[in-house]
Amino acid sequence: MINKVVLQGRLVTDPELMRTKAGDSVCNIFVASQRRYSKKREEEKVDIVKCEAWGGTADFICKYLKKGSMVDIEGGIRCKKWKDENDKTRVDQFVHIDTIEYSATNNSPHNKSEDTTE
């Protein structure tokens, strides 16, 4: 089976670095990506996709990217299940980032991070 996502878009908000109790870096970002949806492919919609990075990739994102940054992402779909305060099962789906790169439209001396550390 294949679980592969390739996504290009812009960050909707500034990334925020968080740490687990064990001290691991983690960062959630939201990426706006356009898609064409009409039969003639003339109309576009924007999807907001939740993405998650760990380790050096999370550190890179928080250090070099900001709201509006254009990025190219490769990763896979992940799901987390949990019970809320009413004992109802909730599911969160997101793209786990394996690699992230500045898109060609960004001007920066730092252009790539390929840390797959979780």
Side-chain angles (χ1 to χ4, degrees):
M1 288 191 235
I2 298 173
N3 181 355
K4 182 79 169 176
V5 174
V6 178
L7 179 66
Q8 182 181 60
R10 294 191 182 275
L11 271 62
V12 176
T13 60
D14 286 329
E16 184 177 330
L17 186 65
M18 298 173 283
R19 300 242 181 236
T20 65
K21 290 179 183 178
D24 298 321
S25 300
V26 63
C27 176
N28 290 312
I29 58 174
F30 293 88
V31 177
S33 184
Q34 291 180 328
R35 66 177 165 90
R36 297 193 181 180
Y37 72 96
S38 69
K39 287 185 179 182
K40 295 182 181 181
R41 300 185 56 83
E42 296 170 353
E43 299 180 62
E44 292 184 344
K45 286 191 175 186
V46 175
D47 294 311
I48 307 297
V49 181
K50 182 177 181 181
C51 303
E52 181 178 89
W54 287 80
T57 304
D59 294 330
F60 171 86
I61 290 168
C62 292
K63 185 172 182 179
Y64 296 111
L65 302 179
K66 62 182 180 180
K67 179 180 178 178
S69 295
M70 178 70 83
V71 293
D72 297 326
I73 293 172
E74 289 186 29
I77 298 290
R78 299 275 173 94
C79 296
K80 290 182 185 176
K81 289 184 181 183
W82 75 95
K83 300 264 185 186
D84 67 11
E85 62 276 355
N86 297 320
D87 204 35
K88 186 174 180 180
T89 300
R90 300 287 185 177
V91 178
D92 187 20
Q93 293 182 328
F94 57 94
V95 174
H96 172 82
I97 299 171
D98 292 325
T99 63
I100 187 167
E101 299 179 13
Y102 280 108
S103 202
T105 59
N106 287 323
N107 297 323
S108 173
H110 309 283
N111 67 354
K112 191 172 183 180
S113 172
E114 292 198 18
D115 184 359
T116 58
T117 307
E118 277 193 48

